[in-house]
Amino acid sequence: MSHFNAAMSARARQVIALYPEPRSALLPLCHLAQEQDGWLRPEAMDEIAALLGVTAAEVRGTATFYDMLHTEPVGKYVVAVCTNIACVLSGGAEMLEHAEERLGVRVGSTTEDGLFTLEESECLADCDFPPCVQVNHRFVRTTTPEQFDRLVDELAAGGHAEEIPPHGTLVRVRRSGGLRVDRADIARERAGAEERWG
Amino acid sequence: MAVSMPTKIVTARLEHPDSHTLARYLATGGYEGLRKALTMTPAQVAAEVDAASLLGRGGAGFPAGRKWSMLKKDPVTYLVVNGDESEPATFKDHLLLERDPHQILEGVIISAYALQVTQAFIYIRGEFALGLERMEEAVNDAYREGALGKDIFSSGFSLDVVVHPGAGAYICGEETALLESLEGKRGFPRIKPPYFPAVIGLYGQPTVVNNVETMANIPWIVRNGGAAFAAMGEGRSTGTRLFALSGHVNRPGPYEIEMVKTTFRDLIYAPELGGGVREGRDLKAFIPGGVSSPWFGPDQVDLPLGQDEVAQAGSMLGSGSVVVMDSTTCVVRASWRITKFFFRESCGQCTPCREGSGWLERILYRIEHGGGREQDLDLLLDVCDNISPGVQWPPQQTTICVLGPSIPPSIAAGLKLFRDEFLVHIKEGGCPFD
Ligand SMILES: Cc1cc2nc3c(=O)[nH]c(=O)nc-3n(C[C@H](O)[C@H](O)[C@H](O)COP(=O)(O)O)c2cc1C
Ligand code: SF4
Ligand code: FES
């Protein structure tokens, strides 16, 4: 039994076909697994391993290196508050404290209703809107405690569904089709290049 | 104070709200550079980029033309674009990815043609969900337009581009870690030599790695000629550059300015740029080129924004991010936060970096929070010396990559410029700014 549903399986195969070597699809497939399940379940890692021809330990060992891949369940909304240098000069630490109070959880934990996970993040490259807050890796640009509270209320009430999909969904634009240049074309181009170099 | 606002190269289109769409791109000269390049030989295209003297915009400032000429000739070569932008306070690639993905893509296609590469990868930081979506959309559009794929614009040249999402790890911006990550592994930097990407890169094949902003300059250079680009700026620092200004300024933001012709003072104070230090306060210090660069005090504010000019003054332009700290800034807290970042992001392969970053973080934390001891200042420098011998600029390297040696500069600069402030923390048993 496949853990990926039919649509995800099809997408996974398409992604693998984009790369010269299957293993390159490891991170993209982990993102797909999170899109399906909200986090990276052990069954998903097993399946990714089988699809790529590596061991489950290799998938897990790689995935745990990366901050965005969660091998434990997280909330529907992962709220990240940046406290790196530009943000800390403009209230980043205070915003994080406020977020802890408002959500009633410490950094790294999830609210009891399973809606919000709070994270302290490093620079998110949006330092001209400090302190920077992301929800599910979308820049929300709430820079005051009041704006933050309003956003939390709206999310809890099911708002912003359009811009902020549940945790795990990263890229909603599908690549239209696999590679357009087939291997024979590539081989021909390369042979040509060799000639040009003499 | 009037600053000369240059011809916009990489941000020209951003005045349009739909700057990311193919329609807007085509209406504003889009893919004309590619059409022109395809009428030239690959060598001629490369020669224009060389003549432009375009310095890489990713941090190290290596000339793109020279890097291209070092690519080992081999039937299988790759072009990989670095869109991992995670250097603290750097936010220019983020802007370009979201607001003008086609410009980057056109740069990639032209570069691939010049390098005779048939497969290119654009590695984008995973936290840039919108940037990833916009670039994926741009790639789809470019295939439909015939600007990508088989037999591009009937030229006989074919190229595939894959948009690859990262998954949250600063170290993957380091080019060899990025290649490991693209191969589906942990982002562990490779040992150089022998793993110089131009010789042994992606899947062991020769590979060019260039930054997103570097790519974004290419269409303009091909359209207008390398000489026109080199006519802007001065010396080795040609063209314009996108600087990310943040911290205690009235108008933080990304600003495209002509290299060397503009000073840090202009950037921070000019009304059309930074607009001055917030609430009219005094400038205490500024970070000229990302958190790996030694800080400058107010006496350096008249330095021009040029690669060699800043290097001669003992720091670097690095990733093009300038952080302004006003008189209310606690430098101990600032250097603690920067060090904490490195501690979190060290990949852990090298002992001095992995352990040293944690020691430094804990010492700085205790000074900031009232537990500092008189000997701590020597201890800080001693640990720094173990990470990067001599604690000098530019830093010595004993580790696999330069993340390790990037840790001491902010601490050393803080201690050099503001030793008294560290001592007050220790003597008063706490932070005087709290
Ligand atoms: C720790 C570390 C992080 C880096 N992060 C980035 C990054 O996020 N983006 C980038 O373009 N270059 C980054 N670099 C520089 C790259 O290794 C490489 O020099 C650059 O991508 C080359 O592109 P360029 O020649 O066009 O500048 C980083 C380097 C180090 C050592
Ligand atoms: S210097 Fe630090 S980040 Fe670089 S390879 Fe060594 S441990 Fe990893
Ligand atoms: S420092 Fe917070 S987003 Fe850059």
Side-chain angles (χ1 to χ4, degrees):
Chain A
M1 250 298 274
S2 153
H3 177 71
F4 277 133
N5 61 38
M8 273 308 172
S9 282
R11 279 173 66 193
R13 274 172 225 290
Q14 194 193 41
V15 168
I16 294 169
L18 294 174
Y19 296 92
E21 304 203 0
R23 182 163 181 167
S24 281
L26 196 146
L27 294 184
L29 292 197
C30 288
H31 284 303
L32 287 188
Q34 293 206 137
E35 178 172 341
Q36 179 179 295
D37 301 326
W39 60 290
L40 203 47
R41 306 184 77 99
E43 307 88 292
M45 287 189 273
D46 291 347
E47 179 150 335
I48 291 169
L51 284 166
L52 302 181
V54 299
T55 66
E58 279 174 295
V59 175
R60 193 182 177 83
T62 306
T64 50
F65 183 82
Y66 294 92
D67 290 344
M68 288 174 71
L69 302 176
H70 294 277
T71 52
E72 303 281 336
V74 288
K76 180 179 177 192
Y77 298 110
V78 174
V79 178
V81 179
C82 171
T83 61
N84 207 311
I85 186 67
C87 290
V88 86
L89 294 176
S90 301
E94 292 76 10
M95 179 62 101
L96 184 65
E97 256 176 51
H98 173 79
E100 284 190 325
E101 266 170 42
R102 174 64 185 76
L103 297 173
V105 292
R106 300 301 303 265
V107 166
S109 350
T110 302
T111 55
E112 260 174 42
D113 57 9
L115 266 188
F116 297 99
T117 299
L118 180 62
E119 290 183 344
E120 175 179 13
S121 100
E122 296 299 340
C123 175
L124 292 162
D126 210 39
C127 330
D128 45 346
F129 293 89
C132 176
V133 178
Q134 269 196 336
V135 177
N136 293 348
H137 307 297
R138 271 70 185 174
F139 293 98
V140 293
R141 296 192 170 164
T142 59
T143 58
T144 65
E146 295 73 35
Q147 288 171 345
F148 181 86
D149 290 352
R150 199 174 328 128
L151 178 73
V152 167
D153 290 339
E154 288 162 0
L155 287 171
H160 299 281
E162 196 57 26
E163 322 93 78
I164 310 177
H167 179 258
T169 300
L170 192 60
V171 188
R172 288 166 299 178
V173 176
R174 303 277 169 271
R175 178 170 175 130
S176 39
L179 289 182
R180 302 301 178 79
V181 184
D182 62 34
R183 307 278 164 198
D185 290 319
I186 291 175
R188 204 168 325 115
E189 288 275 332
R190 285 175 179 159
E194 215 163 3
E195 249 165 55
R196 278 187 292 276
W197 290 325
Chain B
M1 176 178 27
V3 292
S4 68
M5 296 304 272
T7 308
K8 298 266 186 280
I9 296 179
V10 293
T11 59
R13 219 163 272 111
L14 303 196
E15 62 192 72
H16 303 287
D18 61 349
S19 57
H20 59 284
T21 62
L22 179 66
R24 175 61 66 192
Y25 195 63
L26 292 175
T28 48
Y31 291 109
E32 278 168 22
L34 173 60
R35 287 184 190 276
K36 182 172 172 191
L38 293 171
T39 67
M40 301 159 68
T41 66
Q44 283 168 336
V45 177
E48 287 302 324
V49 174
D50 204 33
S53 163
L54 170 66
L55 301 181
R57 302 305 199 224
F62 194 80
R66 249 185 61 216
K67 183 180 282 191
W68 291 8
S69 72
M70 286 158 58
L71 184 70
K72 186 165 164 266
K73 307 248 178 301
D74 190 290
V76 183
T77 54
Y78 295 106
L79 170 64
V80 174
V81 179
N82 191 340
D84 193 54
E85 188 173 68
S86 340
E87 174 76 13
T90 311
F91 49 95
K92 63 195 182 65
D93 298 342
H94 171 204
L95 177 82
L96 295 174
L97 285 162
E98 278 186 8
R99 301 290 313 284
D100 203 346
H102 279 288
Q103 179 174 247
I104 299 164
L105 188 56
E106 186 181 357
V108 172
I109 305 168
I110 295 171
S111 306
Y113 175 71
L115 293 162
Q116 289 296 294
V117 157
T118 50
Q119 277 180 303
F121 298 89
I122 306 178
Y123 187 110
I124 298 178
R125 181 173 179 185
E127 288 90 340
F128 295 166
L130 182 61
L132 278 157
E133 292 186 339
R134 293 246 166 111
M135 185 57 84
E136 197 74 87
E137 192 88 65
V139 165
N140 283 342
D141 285 345
Y143 273 108
R144 270 195 293 276
E145 191 65 19
L148 197 52
K150 201 170 180 147
D151 193 16
I152 293 171
F153 293 149
S154 310
S155 65
F157 175 65
S158 304
L159 171 72
D160 269 317
V161 171
V162 172
V163 179
H164 186 88
Y170 165 71
I171 193 58
C172 291
E174 196 276 344
E175 56 189 10
T176 62
L178 184 140
L179 296 176
E180 286 285 303
S181 181
L182 186 48
E183 290 181 8
K185 301 174 190 153
R186 293 171 169 231
F188 281 162
R190 298 171 175 173
I191 296 173
K192 299 161 283 273
Y195 290 100
F196 292 111
V199 185
I200 310 177
L202 187 64
Y203 313 121
Q205 297 300 129
T207 303
V208 163
V209 183
N210 268 137
N211 167 262
V212 154
E213 187 190 348
T214 310
M215 286 292 112
N217 278 288
I218 302 286
W220 193 97
I221 289 172
V222 170
R223 274 207 319 276
N224 299 277
F229 189 88
M232 281 190 261
E234 221 175 274
R236 281 205 323 133
S237 301
T238 57
T240 63
R241 197 169 165 182
L242 193 48
F243 285 93
L245 178 66
S246 67
H248 295 141
V249 282
N250 285 314
R251 289 162 38 92
Y255 295 106
E256 181 172 1
I257 56 189
E258 188 173 354
M259 298 277 271
V260 193
K261 301 294 171 59
T262 317
T263 63
F264 285 102
R265 184 187 296 283
D266 298 331
L267 180 62
I268 296 168
Y269 290 98
E272 59 273 60
L273 300 173
V277 178
R278 227 182 268 173
E279 293 175 44
R281 292 206 178 96
D282 288 336
L283 176 66
K284 183 167 182 172
F286 61 100
I287 310 179
V291 293
S292 318
S293 65
W295 305 355
F296 281 148
D299 54 324
Q300 303 277 36
V301 80
D302 288 310
L303 267 177
L305 289 154
Q307 179 147 310
D308 294 336
E309 290 75 1
V310 174
Q312 274 152 25
S315 190
M316 64 169 180
L317 268 194
S319 58
S321 67
V322 178
V323 183
V324 173
M325 298 186 270
D326 74 12
S327 50
T328 65
T329 311
C330 170
V331 296
V332 177
R333 188 166 184 236
S335 56
W336 164 68
R337 187 58 188 84
I338 292 169
T339 306
K340 180 177 162 190
F341 160 77
F342 285 120
F343 174 48
R344 250 180 104 165
E345 299 297 337
S346 166
C347 85
Q349 285 189 103
C350 319
T351 312
C353 172
R354 182 188 64 237
E355 302 298 324
S357 57
W359 289 355
L360 291 169
E361 190 269 333
R362 287 191 294 277
I363 299 167
L364 287 164
Y365 181 89
R366 81 172 174 231
I367 297 175
E368 170 67 3
H369 291 89
R373 304 163 205 163
E374 195 99 27
Q375 323 82 283
D376 277 351
L377 303 193
D378 290 336
L379 186 57
L380 281 173
L381 288 174
D382 191 43
V383 177
C384 285
D385 184 67
N386 273 301
I387 298 175
S388 178
V391 198
Q392 61 203 41
W393 187 263
Q396 297 263 16
Q397 186 178 340
T398 56
T399 45
I400 294 173
C401 88
V402 301
L403 186 146
S406 299
I407 306 169
S410 69
I411 297 172
L415 276 172
K416 189 171 131 223
L417 294 170
F418 304 102
R419 195 180 175 88
D420 288 348
E421 196 170 309
F422 280 79
L423 286 171
V424 169
H425 277 77
I426 293 169
K427 292 210 180 91
E428 292 183 0
C431 178
F433 294 89
D434 275 349

